Amino acid sequence: MIRFENVNKTYPDGTEAVNELGIEVEEGTTTVLVGPSGCGKTTTMKLINRLEEPSGGAIYYDDTDVTDLDATELRRKIGYVIQDVGLFEHMTVGENVATVPDLEGWDRERIDDRVEELLDLVGLPAEEYRDSYPSELSGGQQQRVGVARALAADPDVMLMDEPFGALDPLTREELQDEFLDIQSEIETTIVFVTHDINEALKMGNRIAVMNEGECVQYDSPTALLNNPATKFVEDFIGPDRTLKQLRVLRVEEIMESEVPDEHRTVVDAFEGGEDAVMADGGELIPVTPGDSAQVALSRCIQADVEALPVVESADVIGVVTETAIRHRQAEEAS
């Protein structure tokens, strides 16, 4: 979908922002560019939609060199979400979301339907928020509108430059989870920039770790944690790699679809009422297939149970056990 071939970016003052970059972003996946400030990650992202131009090498979008494409038309095809949101304060939420479809000449009925669909998708019901102004929204709500606007023209590619960086930790985690759910539905190709390795591990299918303009490792989250390629990558990940493995591991990878008899009690307790409380007073909170093993382990300990029901669309589709989580954790650590 997007391919960098020996890409360089050098500024007139001699600053080398990107050096011999060669990575490929696969269609329908999320690639995260991560690294310290000044490593070249944002410059790399801006090369895709020609907010920056390469000094050497080539960037291909669907096998076409981006420099052969009209820059304005290219940017209209690519969604763009930034940390500061960039909503138009004088326009309503609905008008903000409709910006690119308006420019593309969509008819009014199609635009209205798309605005309603996207506001519902990002958790801002259209009947409640369409006519609000950005100043009337919280930071998290504004960022949701920013995501909806980026998706408005149904782009094949979306660029996200530290989109949740300015939010408080709780709102940030909530939006990360919501966006992962959205991505599972839309399967847009995403390039995501962050300086936070935990966010990179959570959001990315592939992660490019950058330092001083170079990509020092390009791998899956699991491969990155298990086999850091350099001392820099190892130090950047940090010492708690085992804990990070639990954040990367998804419940769907270790759950049991068939509920064993010995775990039927927790399933029956949940199906008897979502606010079920176990005999010892622990609250039983189910998990979803997309939840992390860390979340599942925490909830097992909180409820003092060996197993939790795994729920999808309010239906129990299996169980995940503390034993399975700890067994996988030991395997990854060995």
Side-chain angles (χ1 to χ4, degrees):
M1 187 71 187
I2 300 170
R3 188 169 77 254
F4 290 81
E5 290 190 357
N6 306 115
V7 174
N8 296 282
K9 175 61 181 180
T10 303
Y11 290 101
D13 66 359
T15 301
E16 193 172 59
V18 179
N19 181 29
E20 294 296 315
L21 180 65
I23 63 173
E24 185 165 356
V25 178
E26 296 180 7
E27 185 175 359
T29 65
T30 298
T31 290
V32 179
L33 309 176
V34 65
S37 297
C39 70
K41 54 188 184 292
T42 295
T43 300
T44 296
M45 188 191 69
K46 289 181 176 180
L47 289 167
I48 296 171
N49 66 353
R50 297 186 62 189
L51 290 176
E52 296 280 2
E53 300 286 359
S55 306
I59 304 104
Y60 294 93
Y61 179 105
D62 271 349
D63 294 324
T64 301
D65 190 324
V66 296
T67 58
D68 292 334
L69 300 171
D70 179 81
T72 300
E73 290 301 315
L74 175 66
R75 289 169 197 152
R76 287 183 183 178
K77 293 178 181 178
I78 297 176
Y80 193 30
V81 184
I82 59 176
Q83 184 179 109
D84 296 327
V85 188
L87 299 180
F88 301 114
E89 294 292 332
H90 65 287
M91 295 167 61
T92 66
V93 165
E95 290 168 341
N96 267 281
V97 175
T99 300
V100 175
D102 266 332
L103 291 171
E104 291 291 296
W106 290 21
D107 64 69
R108 178 48 51 188
E109 182 178 359
R110 184 184 178 193
I111 290 175
D112 288 345
D113 289 345
R114 184 63 172 162
V115 168
E116 182 173 348
E117 175 190 359
L118 288 171
L119 288 178
D120 288 344
L121 182 67
V122 300
L124 299 174
E127 64 272 13
E128 184 175 351
Y129 290 98
R130 183 201 297 267
D131 297 324
S132 299
Y133 285 87
S135 61
E136 300 173 313
L137 306 180
S138 68
Q141 289 171 333
Q142 289 183 23
Q143 197 59 269
R144 288 181 174 91
V145 177
V147 170
R149 183 176 64 181
L151 292 170
D154 197 19
D156 293 326
V157 174
M158 185 153 67
L159 309 180
M160 305 186 75
D161 189 4
E162 306 229 30
F164 312 131
L167 303 173
D168 66 84
L170 288 177
T171 303
R172 183 178 189 177
E173 185 165 353
E174 180 182 329
L175 284 183
Q176 288 170 348
D177 291 340
E178 288 180 8
F179 188 77
L180 287 171
D181 288 340
I182 291 171
Q183 171 62 349
S184 69
E185 292 185 38
I186 61 176
E187 296 184 340
T188 298
T189 303
I190 295 169
V191 178
F192 190 110
V193 166
T194 181
H195 65 275
D196 182 346
I197 187 62
N198 291 320
E199 184 169 58
L201 292 167
K202 181 175 182 176
M203 304 302 292
N205 300 112
R206 301 266 288 176
I207 299 172
V209 181
M210 301 191 67
N211 186 37
E212 297 181 347
E214 296 184 354
C215 177
V216 292
Q217 187 167 357
Y218 186 45
D219 247 320
S220 69
T222 298
L224 200 70
L225 289 170
N226 288 340
N227 300 294
T230 67
K231 183 66 163 56
F232 171 81
V233 176
E234 185 175 357
D235 290 343
F236 191 75
I237 292 171
D240 56 341
R241 280 193 281 160
T242 302
L243 178 59
K244 288 182 169 71
Q245 285 283 8
L246 290 181
R247 294 177 184 151
V248 170
L249 182 63
R250 297 294 147 193
V251 166
E252 62 190 352
E253 299 176 55
I254 50 173
M255 62 178 281
E256 298 178 58
S257 298
E258 297 293 329
V259 180
D261 291 340
E262 63 265 32
H263 301 317
R264 175 57 58 185
T265 301
V266 292
V267 173
D268 291 343
F270 171 74
E271 291 180 335
E274 290 195 10
D275 297 325
V277 176
M278 303 307 289
D280 61 3
E283 184 180 359
L284 179 64
I285 304 175
V287 290
T288 68
D291 280 333
S292 70
Q294 182 187 28
V295 168
L297 180 60
S298 175
R299 291 180 183 174
C300 279
I301 294 170
Q302 178 185 350
D304 193 22
V305 294
E306 161 62 14
L308 288 174
V310 181
V311 176
E312 189 170 57
S313 301
D315 295 323
V316 175
I317 61 171
V319 293
V320 62
T321 66
E322 181 177 348
T323 298
I325 296 170
R326 295 197 183 278
H327 179 70
R328 180 64 73 88
Q329 186 178 20
E331 284 184 342
E332 300 291 358
S334 62

